[in-house]
Each structure stands twice: as structure tokens, then as C-alpha cells.
Amino acid sequence: MSFLADPQGSGLANKVNHGVMFAATEREGTRRRQQVDTLVEGVGLNRLTRNFANLLKPMQGDSKGKCMLDGAVSVSDRDAVRMSRWLMANDGLFIGSSGAINCVTALHVAHRLGPGHTIVTILADSGQRHLTKFWNDQAMVSLGHDVNAPATLDIFEQQ
């Protein structure tokens, strides 16, 4: 199984899960100059690239028209920050925002599949490249984020 980890403000998760490219920031009356305003830089779009469109095409030989992705999880900035702080405090992993949304998505997939499954993800970036924003506690607090590591992973349970 394959799942997309998508940051808030991106429409790709809705495209995968519902067939429509849409993000809540595009609702009528919410148009802003910078639509995608997220801490997770470099991923998440509100346009369909050719490479991503190829992932959504039906796989060859699949009579049900199934694509290469089984679903997508939209991850909030709040959850990305929480996960990064939890991983640092509990596992000593200093990851960036992309790795954090991948871990939140892996946890959601694990809850969805239940016990007895192996979940694999990619820690795509180091926290070293995020020192001025994502790993700057003062900046995160000014944006309203709690920078304390959560006590458990239970706060990420599917809502």
C-alpha cells in the first residue's frame, strides 16, 4: 500500500481521496495572495504536476482502475511540530518538517491498518535545514504552536 503525506493548504490529498483538487484555503471568500501558507516547505501543491498525474492513472492490468496510491493524509502544521518534538525527545531524531509529516502519516496508516502490519516511511530531511523556522521555538510559539514534546503518540489518533 502507498499513501501520500500532504501538508495543510495543499489540494493533493483531496485529489487522491476524493478526485477533486481542492484545499480549504480555496473556499469562496478565503482567497489570499499566498494560498499555501505552511511550515512544511517544498512539498504540497494546488496544481497537478505531470509526475503526480501519472501516479493517479489506473495501473496497467487493474480491471478496477486502481491507481498507485491507496490514500492520502493531510497533516496540519500543529501535528508536524508535535511529531518532530516527540521524535527528538523520545528517539533522538532531529528531523525536518517533511520527515515529520511522513511520520504523522505513517502513524495514521498504522491506526487504519491495525496490528500486525509493517509500516515504512522516509525521513526526508534533517532538522539542520530548518533552524530559523521549524526548529526555532520562539518563531513556533509566535505562530501559536506548542513546542513541548507530547507525552504520548495518542494525540495523533485519527479524529
Side-chain angles (χ1 to χ4, degrees), residues 95-114:
I95 64 170
S97 55
S98 295
I101 69 166
N102 287 351
C103 289
V104 173
T105 297
L107 191 57
H108 282 284
V109 170
H111 284 137
R112 177 178 166 181
L113 296 178

Side-chain angles (χ1 to χ4, degrees), residues 127-146:
Q128 188 66 34
R129 299 187 75 185
H130 299 271
L131 294 175
T132 60
K133 190 174 181 183
F134 190 73
W135 277 100
N136 181 325
D137 287 350
Q138 226 176 2
M140 291 297 95
V141 169
S142 74
L143 293 170
H145 295 291
D146 182 3

Side-chain angles (χ1 to χ4, degrees), residues 18-105:
H18 308 294
V20 177
M21 181 72 88
F22 174 79
T25 56
E26 295 179 330
R27 266 190 332 263
E28 190 166 332
T30 64
R31 260 330 249 174
R32 298 184 329 249
R33 186 171 182 188
Q34 299 295 326
Q35 286 302 105
V36 181
D37 189 18
T38 179
L39 297 173
V40 184
E41 299 172 8
V43 297
L45 297 170
N46 279 338
R47 64 183 171 80
L48 199 57
T49 64
R50 184 177 303 155
N51 285 343
F52 196 82
N54 286 335
L55 288 175
L56 300 177
K57 288 180 182 175
M59 292 187 291
Q60 279 187 331
D62 190 303
S63 60
K64 296 179 183 178
K66 188 176 176 318
C67 76
M68 294 175 80
L69 292 170
D70 297 291
V73 175
S74 184
V75 179
S76 68
D77 284 347
R78 180 186 68 174
D79 280 351
V81 171
R82 286 175 170 177
M83 179 59 79
S84 68
R85 292 346 189 239
W86 190 89
L87 288 168
M88 174 58 96
N90 292 280
D91 294 325
L93 296 174
F94 183 51
I95 64 170
S97 55
S98 295
I101 69 166
N102 287 351
C103 289
V104 173
T105 297

